[in-house]
């Protein structure tokens, strides 16, 4: 694991704040009638204004059928992760996950939030609150000296006790000079297992839960990940730095 010095963690603060400000702005901006591409354009405008750089645009891991075409992942209702900017129009009651990462001054931060456009439904609000609580539990478990399995099991326990579907094929990751670094941060695990967490570790913790089963399907585009049973999904993510003096949430929103 690539550990960061206290000075480097300080250098990551501006990009963390920038990523947080984009998510806050998107949540205020999103309205029924807009397309997912409108959200992407809004984020892109903020990138340009800040002199930042997108780490999504053109990103091409082996699973994608094409390089990523936007700066933002927008995953609505049954879509959980990696939803592409498209002409899909937002509707009242939609459960919208926005996942955003960017680079500023050579450092990357990655964060995601899920919200429901009014009218709110109890099912979606419970899923959203539970997934946010799982992120909080994961962050609380991510302390110097703990093990990765403590973080994973804290996340998984919150989701499982609410009866939600969890799939560990996609999870959190190290963050730093690039978006995806070692180590992997699974959303399921056993307490006391895995590598010991060290001072200077910077990771993105990102629970995503499905209201139904543990199974997902991938769209023909190779990107969009949906619940296999069509149930709604939620996703929250923060980039956090572990230090002997405590854990810093670099992408905290105020
Ligand atoms: N930000 C996502 C994650 O949390 C990855 C997005 S992949 C991209 O790991 F291609 F859309 F960039
Ligand atoms: Co991430």
């Amino acid at each position: 694991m690539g550990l960061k010095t206290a000075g480097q963690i300080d250098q990551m603060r501006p990009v963390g704040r920038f990523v947080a400000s984009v998510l806050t702005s998107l949540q205020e901006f999103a309205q029924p009638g807009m397309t997912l591409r409108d959200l992407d354009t809004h984020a892109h405008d903020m990138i340009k204004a800040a002199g930042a750089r997108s780490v999504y645009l053109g990103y091409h891991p082996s699973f994608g059928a094409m390089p990523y075409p936007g700066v933002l992942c927008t995953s609505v209702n049954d879509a959980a992760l990696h939803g592409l900017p498209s002409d899909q129009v937002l509707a009242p009651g939609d459960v919208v996950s926005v996942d955003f990462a960017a680079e500023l001054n050579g450092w990357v931060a990655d964060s995601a939030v899920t919200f429901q456009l009014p009218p709110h439904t109890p099912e979606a609000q419970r899923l959203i609150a539970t997934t946010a609580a799982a992120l909080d539990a994961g962050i609380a478990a991510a302390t110097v000296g703990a093990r990765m399995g403590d973080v994973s099991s804290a996340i998984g326990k919150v989701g499982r006790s609410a009866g939600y579907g969890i799939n560990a094929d996609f999870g959190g990751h190290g963050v730093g000079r690039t978006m995806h670094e070692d180590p992997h941060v699974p959303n399921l695990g056993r307490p006391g297992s895995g590598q010991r967490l060290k001072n200077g570790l910077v990771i993105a913790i990102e629970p995503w839960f499905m209201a139904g089963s543990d199974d997902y399907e991938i769209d023909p585009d190779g990107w969009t990940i949906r619940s296999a049973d069509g149930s709604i999904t939620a996703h929250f993510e923060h980039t956090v730095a572990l230090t002997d003096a405590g854990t810093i949430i670099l992408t905290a929103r105020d």
Side-chain angles (χ1 to χ4, degrees):
M1 47 180 153
L3 301 174
K4 277 82 182 170
T5 65
Q8 290 175 321
I9 290 170
D10 273 337
Q11 289 173 21
M12 292 185 75
R13 287 179 190 268
V15 69
R17 274 197 297 270
F18 170 66
V19 167
S21 74
V22 172
L23 292 182
T24 299
S25 180
L26 283 165
Q27 190 164 353
E28 288 162 6
F29 178 74
Q31 306 289 339
M34 288 180 179
T35 67
L36 301 185
R37 214 184 301 281
D38 292 333
L39 301 185
D40 191 84
T41 301
H42 184 77
H44 209 160
D45 289 345
M46 288 186 78
I47 287 179
K48 289 179 205 152
R53 190 182 77 84
S54 173
V55 291
Y56 284 11
L57 195 61
Y59 183 62
H60 198 180
S62 52
F63 57 79
M66 54 186 158
Y68 197 75
V71 303
L72 184 70
C73 295
T74 43
S75 307
V76 179
N77 296 331
D78 62 319
L81 300 174
H82 305 164
L84 307 181
S86 71
D87 296 328
Q88 182 177 343
V89 176
L90 292 175
D94 274 353
V95 178
V96 184
S97 300
V98 288
D99 184 351
F100 180 71
E103 183 190 309
L104 186 66
N105 300 329
W107 295 99
V108 175
D110 188 4
S111 187
V113 65
T114 300
F115 54 89
Q116 185 177 32
L117 299 175
H120 289 178
T121 59
E123 299 74 24
Q125 292 302 308
R126 188 176 81 97
L127 174 67
I128 289 168
T130 303
T131 313
L135 175 57
D136 290 345
I139 293 171
T143 56
V144 173
R147 289 187 184 272
M148 191 60 82
D150 300 327
V151 178
S152 302
S153 85
I155 292 169
K157 238 191 252 161
V158 173
R160 286 296 187 217
S161 38
Y164 291 139
I166 309 176
N167 193 296
D169 287 358
F170 294 88
H173 47 89
V175 190
R177 292 293 188 184
T178 62
M179 169 168 61
H180 290 147
E181 301 185 351
D182 285 342
H184 183 53
V185 185
N187 287 329
L188 289 168
R190 276 182 303 108
S193 71
Q195 59 183 286
R196 204 171 278 287
L197 307 179
K198 296 194 179 132
N199 180 53
L201 182 66
V202 179
I203 48 176
I205 302 178
E206 50 178 315
W208 60 283
F209 295 158
M210 299 176 276
S213 80
D214 293 348
D215 300 324
Y216 65 84
E217 278 169 5
I218 305 182
D219 280 2
D221 59 30
W223 282 106
T224 312
I225 293 178
R226 297 178 193 276
S227 62
D229 56 11
S231 62
I232 54 170
T233 68
H235 177 212
F236 280 84
E237 174 174 19
H238 272 310
T239 297
V240 302
L242 279 57
T243 79
D244 290 328
T247 297
I248 303 160
I249 303 175
L250 292 166
T251 48
R253 293 182 294 275
D254 27 53

